[in-house]
Amino acid sequence: MRILMVEDNTSVSEMMSMFFKKEGWEVTYVTDGNDAVLTFNAAPQSWDLILLDLNLPGLDGMQVAMKIREVSKLVLIMMLTARDTESDQVLGLEMGADDYVTKPFSPITLIARMRAIYRRAEIANGTIGPVDVHEEFDVVTSTMKLNSSTREAYLNGQLIQDLTPKEFDLLRALAGKQRQVFSREQLLQLVWDYEYFGDERTVDAHVKKLRQKIEKVGPQVIQTVWGVGYKFDDSSVNGAD
């Protein structure tokens, strides 16, 4: 994995360098938000994952994420934040982050989550050949069609714009089992590939952002099952069979 770590705390970078070296990962460190954008833009295809601190000199982490997303929708962004409020986490996801880890964190936990998020995004960031526009959809409901090769989702024929890798994976997991109720723990395991390292608020924040994108093209198909989790159900949507 090729990582760009944006962190102004040198002790954190030095600590993590030992773990990255053990994993055999290639890492470049920068300490300033402006430098992060310049480094990324110099070779956008060179990076698999951006490990991004929220509080930075120059541009802050939110601004850096937004500028990176203007260049690449597929590179993974994991935020490191000392802020632990839902609004900050949702804002980070809205700026383009795929996941976040709250400081202080365990290096072993961070490595596990980085490994998991990268493994789940290998198809999106891998060497996929030219897209066949006639390729069949692999998830089809009464109103929704998803193509995992092109990473596209359509609601009643309308493309849901700007889905991040994690948002697409979340939608595919839910739509692939229509009307089945998933707990947050199950979704963490299915979408993020970790069970014990996860924060359930990650799921809530991603669902909130995914719903906002769905509502731009049609009615809501992701429902909350209070006290349990979420499910995909388009049986009552206009246009459903």
Side-chain angles (χ1 to χ4, degrees):
M1 197 189 313
R2 298 160 298 176
I3 302 163
L4 176 60
M5 184 169 186
V6 190
E7 170 63 68
D8 65 335
N9 187 325
T10 56
S11 62
V12 172
S13 298
E14 290 172 356
M15 173 186 67
M16 291 310 305
S17 66
M18 296 183 294
F19 290 88
F20 294 149
K21 184 177 181 180
K22 183 178 179 180
E23 294 293 328
W25 295 343
E26 299 176 16
V27 186
T28 297
Y29 300 93
V30 295
T31 59
D32 179 272
N34 290 310
D35 289 342
V37 174
L38 290 173
T39 302
F40 178 81
N41 288 345
Q45 302 302 320
S46 297
W47 311 106
D48 297 312
L49 187 146
I50 313 298
L51 199 58
L52 181 60
D53 188 30
L54 193 61
N55 297 312
L56 294 167
L59 299 176
D60 65 25
M62 299 289 189
Q63 293 171 308
V64 172
M66 183 172 60
K67 289 185 177 295
I68 287 175
R69 278 289 173 248
E70 291 174 356
V71 177
S72 173
K73 293 291 191 297
L74 292 180
V75 66
L76 296 168
I77 300 176
M78 179 176 285
M79 283 191 169
L80 303 176
T81 173
R83 305 177 187 177
D84 195 26
T85 65
E86 183 178 359
S87 59
D88 286 325
Q89 292 154 3
V90 171
L91 181 58
L93 297 173
E94 288 178 347
M95 292 299 102
D98 295 289
D99 200 0
Y100 63 86
V101 175
T102 303
K103 293 181 178 180
F105 56 81
S106 159
I108 295 174
T109 296
L110 177 61
I111 291 292
R113 291 177 69 159
M114 291 171 68
R115 234 193 261 119
I117 195 175
Y118 178 69
R119 187 165 58 245
R120 295 292 296 180
E122 278 185 320
I123 294 177
N125 292 345
T127 55
I128 300 174
V131 172
D132 181 356
V133 296
H134 300 294
E135 188 173 356
E136 294 184 359
F137 296 96
D138 53 311
V139 176
V140 179
T141 76
S142 297
T143 63
M144 184 78 71
K145 294 182 179 180
L146 290 88
N147 187 316
S148 294
S149 295
T150 63
R151 310 290 287 185
E152 292 177 329
Y154 296 83
L155 180 62
N156 287 331
Q158 297 294 311
L159 177 66
I160 302 173
Q161 298 282 351
D162 299 327
L163 290 176
T164 67
K166 275 291 167 282
E167 289 166 356
F168 181 88
D169 290 341
L170 178 60
L171 180 58
R172 181 175 57 187
L174 291 166
K177 299 287 185 179
Q178 302 172 52
R179 303 181 196 174
Q180 177 176 325
V181 180
F182 290 89
S183 68
R184 292 167 178 82
E185 293 88 347
Q186 288 173 320
L187 290 172
L188 279 172
Q189 191 170 19
L190 285 170
V191 178
W192 282 265
D193 267 357
Y194 51 78
E195 182 174 12
Y196 301 107
F197 306 115
D199 185 336
E200 294 180 10
R201 289 169 297 182
T202 298
V203 176
D204 294 335
H206 277 78
V207 167
K208 181 176 180 178
K209 187 58 180 174
L210 176 58
R211 282 172 164 167
Q212 291 172 350
K213 294 181 179 180
I214 290 173
E215 288 170 355
K216 290 181 179 179
V217 299
Q220 192 52 249
V221 291
I222 297 179
Q223 299 180 7
T224 299
V225 180
W226 298 107
V228 183
Y230 300 100
K231 68 176 180 178
F232 179 98
D233 188 354
D234 61 358
S235 60
S236 62
V237 172
N238 290 335
D241 295 336

